[in-house]
Amino acid sequence: MAKLINVLKQCEPMASHCSLRAGGIAQNFFMPVSIQALIEFLQVNTKPILLVGLGSNLLIRDSGFQGVVIKLTQLKSLQFNRNHIMAEAGVTLAKLSRFTQENNLSGAEFLSAIPGTVGGALAMNAGAFGSEFWQFVKCVHTINAFGEIFERQPTDFDIGYRHVKPTHPNEYFIAAELTFNQAPSNQNIQQLLQKRNATQPVGLPSCGSVFKNPDQHYAAELIENSQLKGFCIGGACVSDKHANYIINHNNASATDIENLILHIQQTVKSNFKIDLETELKII
């Protein structure tokens, strides 16, 4: 196995690190090989920071990020102790789902259908098929901009649907201790993946669901009933397969995508008097 090394670059195009394949330039870009390397970097860093994972729920505006983007995907330690799992922020949700199955634990099957990392799932309370990530969080480890580490409990956060607000601001998730079930699961990973593939535009550059579902409504249904399936601005188009997905069909700029989001919001508001809130984080 090749040895992992810290990566430090300048003027890195963020389109290479976001699943929408669009976005501006990061002034500096750092990929730490370990939490200790991250601590040491933050202790000497003086620039604004942005921590990212797979970029599957992220859009960096075309003007870019004037600071350091820190990508955590090399932080991928995964350890099992009885029915507890310690997972670093860069572990993919698909890998975590497989790992729980290998250790005869259940509850994480839904994660196999979410294209993201533990860090991203913590930040947005990722969910699918009726389950949400924070249901399984025992505690989390965070880091601040000075490289100081903290252990926080779920009670330290206001947690809701696709919503996680800390009571200790300016800290970033680097790991989580998770508790899964020892009872057999009634969910099958293969069936969940088949369901995802049948209903979502898998394999095309997108960010997953763009909008949160409003109370008692589905965002996809509101968008489809607004006759917006297939509607494009520049290279950004509403998916023909699932209306809550935006596809980068033809080298869309971040501005194309953001303008399409705004058009969808305005159209749905005009038709149904409902405000659509984005799941996608725009920086």
Side-chain angles (χ1 to χ4, degrees), residues 13-27:
M14 288 307 295
S16 302
H17 302 280
C18 295
S19 61
L20 271 164
R21 297 292 175 255
I25 300 291
Q27 184 181 36

